């Protein structure tokens, strides 16, 4: 797709969205209505609707939507519902369910079933919180699920479930691992009640690829745009996600903290750390007591080794609420940055006691066990992360690293392939795959992986080096030289002063390569540059002496100043590399 057509698509999308969001006052009314309905039923997902409503202009008094009218059944159940809701708010779920028995209204029926579901969840958590560690938590189940499924299934067959009850039915099916049925029910829930974000969110967590997303018949509603952007982020389709969020902000939702946080998470996923940090700082200014997404913010601070900022964030969140999952993850990251891996693992375990389905905590705990050389515990943690979300490339990648440490390259290859499927344009996955193929003596595949890693934008600037060294081992000197040339040109063109040992390795090789090919001027330049590095200085001086000796004997440089094309494009046995002239080092300074 050309750049102009991509811009045109973005404009078309923005035009479509602006049409859907033309009447922001109407959207605000819908949000106020659904917030009230969710609150009556004890559903916490109303917070997203509240955040969105807050970002929109206030309505005049005569336009504020009235409360929904009561049906006859609602009126009959009103006293029992008010009493049960009070007990529900106190988290006395069995008590709430007891007083709702026999109620006939849709609202009371939902609260009755939801109370029973949450009672089962609470008992499950109480049973496991002290007796078992987080690694064994998956073995305990909510005993109420099967009964709830049977009852909800009968009601569903009779067509008696409203949008909220369909949502609960879907959650029960998902908890019982009946995922295909759950997807169908969540789709039905979005049609029955398009404004309930909880149903959309559950559906998003079950979508595994774009084909599955395209196959779904979703309602044509403005909430769908939020859902699509969220799914794109989860499926690592970050460009599409950012286009959607950009269109939503242009449609009049610039003040939405939800959208700001989602854009920040998207930038985090593509490792655009500066953009993500800027957005998270903006989010903290707008909502200083926010805890949600702060674990992602701490990941960015960790990657940048920003110890004071991470320490401040950890202390700040402890003051707000030290028993939140995100707080525990932030503290875990802080201790990990200080290389106190036992303490870090302890806080990630605390996070998992609070929420066994916390994906980030499982993955980060796996990383800590890796640092502590406890490979069996790391494998278990990564496997739990994959159980929570099969799309988590970090867990697949972590498993690959663990089996690599255990010197089991076939296993590593399998897990790295999985990670690569989820992140096809991530150079780290490709470099890891290349290393595996090298260990398995599959040099052709390794070469392809290293070159592909360079082509997609090598984050760690290691792909060309590894490719050059592989060519060197195979005595493919022309190929190795070309890779070293491109590597040095890339390093110097970026003005980066990193990996000096590797730069000197490249210069040493090129000096000898040019000398053997009688390109003495180029060999001399490489030797002079070698003298700038401690580990290559002596070899550089020795090469300069050799060049001087040759020149004194009257031997002239070769007149062929161009390296041959050493790769046939798109050949099955080699990797395509562009033709490169001999390295001109006169204009660059390491």
């Amino acid at each position: 797709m050309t750049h102009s057509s991509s811009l045109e698509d973005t404009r078309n999308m923005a035009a479509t969205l602006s049409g859907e969001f033309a009447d922001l006052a109407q959207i605000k009314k819908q949000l106020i209505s659904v917030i009230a309905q969710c609150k009556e039923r004890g559903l916490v997902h109303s917070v997203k609707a509240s955040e969105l409503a807050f970002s929109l202009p206030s309505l005049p008094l005569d336009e504020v939507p009235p409360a929904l009218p009561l049906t006859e059944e609602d009126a009959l159940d009103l006293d029992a519902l008010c009493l049960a809701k009070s007990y529900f708010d106190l988290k006395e779920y069995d008590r709430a369910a007891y007083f709702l028995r026999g109620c006939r209204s849709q609202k009371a029926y939902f609260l009755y079933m939801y109370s029973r579901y949450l009672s089962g969840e609470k008992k499950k958590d109480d049973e496991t919180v002290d007796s078992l560690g987080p690694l064994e938590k998956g073995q305990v189940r909510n005993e109420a699920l099967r009964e709830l499924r049977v009852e909800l299934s009968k009601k569903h067959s009779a067509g008696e479930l409203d949008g909220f009850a369909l949502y609960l039915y879907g959650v029960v099916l998902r908890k019982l691992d009946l995922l295909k049925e759950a997807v169908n029910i969540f789709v039905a829930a979005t049609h029955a009640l398009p404004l309930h974000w909880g149903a959309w969110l559950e559906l998003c967590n079950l979508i595994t690829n774009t084909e599955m997303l395209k196959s779904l018949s979703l309602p044509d509603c403005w909430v769908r745009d939020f859902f699509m952007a969220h799914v794109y982020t989860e499926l690592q389709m970050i460009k599409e996600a950012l286009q959607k969020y950009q269109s939503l902000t242009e449609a009049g939702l610039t003040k939405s903290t939800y959208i700001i946080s989602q854009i920040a998470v998207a930038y985090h996923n593509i490792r655009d750390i500066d953009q993500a940090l800027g957005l998270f700082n903006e989010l903290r200014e707008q909502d200083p007591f926010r805890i949600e997404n702060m674990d992602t913010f701490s990941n960015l601070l960790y990657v940048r080794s920003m110890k004071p900022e991470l320490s401040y964030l950890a202390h700040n969140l402890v003051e707000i609420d030290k028993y939140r999952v995100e707080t525990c993850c932030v503290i875990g990251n802080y201790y990990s940055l200080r290389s106190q891996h036992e303490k870090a693992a302890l806080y990630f375990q605390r996070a998992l006691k609070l929420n066994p389905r916390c994906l980030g905590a499982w993955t980060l705990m796996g990383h800590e066990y890796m640092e502590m050389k406890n490979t069996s515990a790391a494998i278990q943690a990564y496997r739990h992360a994959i159980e929570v979300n099969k799309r988590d490339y970090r867990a697949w990648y972590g498993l690959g690293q663990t089996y690599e440490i255990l010197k089991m390259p076939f296993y590593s290859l399998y897990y790295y392939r999985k990670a690569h499927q989820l992140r096809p344009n991530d150079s780290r996955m490709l470099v890891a795959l290349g290393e595996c193929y090298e260990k398995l003596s599959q040099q052709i595949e390794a070469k392809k992986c290293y070159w592909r890693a360079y082509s997609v934008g090598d984050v760690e600037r290691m792909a060309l080096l590894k490719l050059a060294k592989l060519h060197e081992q195979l005595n493919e000197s022309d190929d190795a030289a070309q890779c070293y040339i491109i590597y040095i040109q890339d390093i110097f063109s970026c003005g980066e002063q990193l990996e000096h040992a590797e730069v000197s390795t490249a210069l040493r090789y090129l000096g000898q390569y040019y000398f053997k090919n009688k390109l003495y001027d180029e060999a001399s330049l490489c030797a002079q540059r070698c003298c700038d590095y401690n580990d290559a200085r002596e070899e550089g001086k020795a090469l300069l002496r050799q060049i001087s000796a040759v020149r004194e004997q009257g031997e002239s440089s070769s007149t062929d100043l161009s390296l041959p094309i050493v790769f046939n494009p798109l050949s099955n046995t080699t990797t395509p590399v562009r033709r490169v002239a001999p390295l001109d080092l006169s204009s660059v300074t390491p």
Side-chain angles (χ1 to χ4, degrees):
M1 183 184 285
T2 63
H3 181 63
S4 59
S5 64
S6 177
L7 279 174
E8 194 177 326
D9 289 347
T10 308
R11 289 195 194 102
N12 290 341
M13 187 190 295
T16 308
L17 285 177
S18 60
E20 290 178 11
F21 288 84
D23 191 354
L24 291 177
Q26 188 59 34
I27 287 174
K28 177 120 181 179
K29 289 176 187 176
Q30 293 174 353
L31 286 168
I32 290 169
S33 174
V34 81
I35 288 164
Q37 291 179 66
C38 287
K39 281 183 178 175
E40 287 173 343
R41 292 163 176 81
L43 289 164
V44 295
H45 292 297
S46 64
V47 71
K48 293 296 167 208
S50 301
E51 283 179 1
L52 195 57
F54 181 76
S55 70
L56 295 172
S58 300
L59 295 173
L61 179 61
D62 58 339
E63 288 189 30
V64 174
L68 289 173
L70 295 176
T71 64
E72 282 188 31
E73 289 177 339
D74 287 334
L76 288 171
D77 294 343
L78 189 60
D79 292 336
L81 192 59
C82 288
L83 179 64
K85 184 63 171 62
S86 301
Y87 293 142
F88 182 93
D89 292 339
L90 292 169
K91 298 188 177 178
E92 296 183 30
Y93 301 121
D94 287 328
R95 202 175 179 191
Y98 176 80
F99 285 100
L100 288 168
R101 291 174 309 150
C103 289
R104 300 181 62 187
S105 66
Q106 291 275 21
K107 201 183 298 180
Y109 178 73
F110 174 82
L111 196 61
Y112 169 63
M113 299 300 278
Y114 193 41
S115 296
R116 289 170 62 191
Y117 165 75
L118 288 178
S119 170
E121 288 293 294
K122 187 170 183 292
K123 285 167 186 168
K124 181 188 79 171
D125 290 343
D126 291 346
E127 192 180 324
T128 57
V129 74
D130 295 320
S131 58
L132 296 174
L135 292 173
E136 290 82 34
K137 258 195 172 177
Q139 299 166 5
V140 183
R141 279 191 174 274
N142 179 345
E143 296 298 328
L145 291 175
R146 285 184 177 82
E147 285 180 28
L148 290 171
R149 184 202 167 198
V150 170
E151 292 177 38
L152 286 164
S153 176
K154 287 177 183 173
K155 286 268 188 181
H156 179 245
S157 300
E160 295 175 8
L161 296 183
D162 66 356
F164 288 110
L166 282 167
Y167 158 74
L168 180 58
Y169 185 27
V171 170
V172 169
L173 290 171
R174 196 254 299 158
K175 287 273 186 180
L176 290 169
D177 292 325
L178 300 168
L179 303 184
K180 192 175 178 182
E181 294 94 322
V183 168
N184 295 332
I185 295 299
F186 284 130
V187 169
T190 61
H191 280 278
L193 190 68
L195 295 176
H196 180 217
W197 180 241
W200 292 98
L201 204 56
E202 286 286 350
L203 181 59
C204 174
N205 293 333
L206 296 176
I207 293 171
T208 52
N209 52 53
T210 49
E211 287 74 25
M212 184 177 176
L213 177 62
K214 287 173 186 172
S215 70
L216 299 177
S217 171
L218 299 170
D220 190 14
C221 168
W222 59 266
V223 183
R224 178 178 173 162
D225 293 305
F226 284 88
F227 167 75
M228 293 301 286
H230 193 90
V231 173
Y232 287 148
T233 306
E234 289 293 308
L235 294 176
Q236 304 300 325
M237 297 167 66
I238 305 302
K239 183 184 172 186
E240 291 84 351
L242 288 172
Q243 282 181 358
K244 275 279 186 191
Y245 285 126
Q246 182 64 31
S247 302
L248 287 167
T249 53
E250 288 170 4
L253 301 168
T254 48
K255 294 180 181 177
S256 168
T257 52
Y258 169 75
I259 291 177
I260 295 171
S261 67
Q262 286 300 104
I263 295 173
V265 169
Y267 279 124
H268 163 269
N269 287 356
I270 55 170
R271 295 174 72 82
D272 190 338
I273 296 172
D274 292 329
Q275 286 269 27
L277 283 172
L279 286 165
F280 273 119
N281 284 320
E282 182 187 334
L283 197 61
R284 295 265 293 161
E285 284 175 21
Q286 287 192 30
D287 192 357
F289 291 92
R290 182 188 183 98
I291 294 180
E292 189 183 5
N293 302 120
M294 289 301 110
D295 50 338
T296 307
F297 184 30
S298 75
N299 291 342
L300 295 163
L301 297 174
Y302 177 92
V303 169
R304 277 288 165 88
S305 299
M306 298 168 76
K307 213 176 276 186
E309 290 85 350
L310 187 51
S311 172
Y312 175 77
L313 179 65
H315 281 95
N316 185 230
L317 294 185
V318 166
E319 285 177 14
I320 298 168
D321 186 352
K322 67 179 179 180
Y323 295 114
R324 276 282 290 270
V325 172
E326 294 90 341
T327 304
C328 294
C329 288
V330 171
I331 298 169
N333 272 336
Y334 171 68
Y335 281 121
S336 182
L337 190 56
R338 294 184 59 180
S339 299
Q340 294 177 253
H341 300 296
E342 290 84 359
K343 271 192 174 181
L346 179 67
Y347 275 96
F348 293 133
Q349 285 174 353
R350 284 187 186 179
L352 290 165
K353 280 191 173 183
L354 293 166
N355 179 9
R357 290 187 61 80
C358 177
L359 175 64
W362 281 119
T363 308
L364 292 169
M365 192 161 74
H367 295 344
E368 296 311 310
Y369 283 134
M370 283 276 284
E371 293 287 346
M372 292 188 278
K373 306 290 188 289
N374 187 347
T375 49
S376 61
I379 288 169
Q380 212 174 352
Y382 288 136
R383 288 194 190 285
H384 274 283
I386 290 164
E387 280 176 25
V388 173
N389 186 352
K390 288 183 172 61
R391 296 190 305 262
D392 183 29
Y393 75 94
R394 296 169 304 169
W396 291 108
Y397 184 68
L399 279 169
Q401 286 183 309
T402 312
Y403 282 110
E404 200 172 348
I405 288 169
L406 295 170
K407 294 185 169 52
M408 299 168 75
F410 278 109
Y411 281 69
S412 289
L413 187 63
Y414 171 78
Y415 292 115
Y416 283 143
R417 274 179 178 160
K418 286 281 191 183
H420 170 59
Q421 285 167 10
L422 293 165
R423 299 269 289 192
N425 293 324
D426 193 322
S427 62
R428 294 167 299 164
M429 314 301 148
L430 286 157
V431 169
L433 271 175
E435 288 173 339
C436 269
Y437 281 126
E438 234 184 298
K439 285 171 186 168
L440 295 167
S441 301
Q442 296 183 35
Q443 280 85 359
I444 294 169
E445 296 300 324
K447 288 178 194 175
K448 287 178 182 175
C449 288
Y450 291 143
W451 182 254
R452 172 77 180 148
Y454 168 69
S455 303
V456 298
D458 187 12
V459 175
E460 294 169 341
R461 300 194 180 282
M462 293 299 292
L464 278 174
L465 276 170
K466 290 185 180 293
L467 182 55
K469 287 175 181 176
L470 179 56
H471 285 312
E472 207 178 326
Q473 289 166 19
L474 298 170
N475 297 317
E476 298 167 350
S477 56
D478 289 341
D479 306 0
Q482 283 208 6
C483 292
Y484 279 133
I485 287 168
I486 302 168
Y487 168 70
I488 291 181
Q489 286 174 340
D490 283 355
I491 291 292
F492 289 151
S493 67
C494 295
E496 295 185 28
Q497 306 297 313
L498 80 167
E499 302 287 356
H500 283 332
E502 301 294 0
V503 172
S504 63
T505 302
L507 288 168
R508 271 196 303 243
Y509 182 85
L510 287 169
Q512 293 295 336
Y513 172 77
Y514 285 131
F515 183 75
K516 285 173 189 171
N517 285 280
K518 299 184 179 180
L519 296 169
Y520 299 127
D521 293 339
E522 286 75 18
S524 179
L525 275 172
C526 288
Q528 287 167 25
R529 292 286 179 246
C530 281
C531 294
D532 295 331
Y533 301 94
N534 292 331
D535 60 330
R537 188 169 293 137
E538 293 307 315
E539 289 182 48
K541 287 176 180 177
L543 183 56
L544 284 171
R545 285 194 295 271
Q546 282 179 285
I547 294 166
S548 298
V550 169
R551 280 177 169 162
E552 282 171 11
Q553 291 170 10
E555 192 171 330
S556 61
S557 291
S558 168
T559 55
D560 181 12
L561 295 179
S562 63
L563 289 172
I565 297 176
V566 292
F567 290 109
N568 295 318
L570 303 177
S571 150
N572 288 329
T573 57
T574 56
T575 316
V577 177
R578 65 179 182 268
R579 186 184 179 92
V580 182
L583 184 60
D584 178 14
L585 289 170
S586 57
S587 60
V588 292
T589 321

